[in-house]
Amino acid sequence: MRTIFSILLIMVLVQTTVSVRAEPQDVTVTALMKGSTTISGQQIEYPKTDKAEMASVLIDIQQGKENGRHMHPVPTYVHVLEGTLTVEFEDGSRQAFKAGSGFLEVVNT
């Protein structure tokens, strides 16, 4: 059975950017939702822009593969659905997140 790592990214952002630097067959990105209004039609508003938007994507990373070092220009929430995701930080330290766990990456301004 093929094991895949599934990660759900929910990005609160001005413009959605998904940067994946891996071989196409190693990583699959599926857009789940993208919009600028709530379920009741209310416009999403951010204090510093008039282009508020939210997006949700599902990223499947093949076991043992990586998506390369990258940064998100906006706060990003990651939730691991299957397997274990290991994140390597700028200083070389690593942190592992198992299925059912998640983390928030906040943009330093």
Side-chain angles (χ1 to χ4, degrees), residues 5-8 77-85 96-103:
F5 295 90
S6 298
I7 305 158
L8 178 63
Y77 176 74
V78 176
H79 187 88
V80 181
L81 299 176
E82 296 178 18
T84 300
L85 171 70
F97 298 90
K98 293 184 178 189
S101 67
F103 61 91

Side-chain angles (χ1 to χ4, degrees), residues 23-93:
E23 296 299 318
Q25 66 274 15
D26 295 344
V27 178
T28 304
V29 179
T30 305
L32 301 176
M33 184 281 301
K34 184 175 181 180
S36 58
T37 58
T38 66
I39 192 170
S40 64
Q42 184 179 21
Q43 193 69 28
I44 298 170
E45 296 181 11
Y46 298 152
K48 296 182 180 181
T49 181
D50 60 351
K51 298 178 183 175
E53 184 176 79
M54 292 189 71
S56 178
V57 296
L58 180 68
I59 300 176
D60 290 327
I61 304 172
Q62 296 299 312
Q63 182 176 3
K65 302 298 181 176
E66 58 184 64
N67 69 339
R69 183 173 299 279
H70 66 277
M71 302 284 281
H72 297 274
V74 296
T76 304
Y77 176 74
V78 176
H79 187 88
V80 181
L81 299 176
E82 296 178 18
T84 300
L85 171 70
T86 302
V87 177
E88 183 176 335
F89 300 97
E90 286 290 324
D91 65 3
S93 64

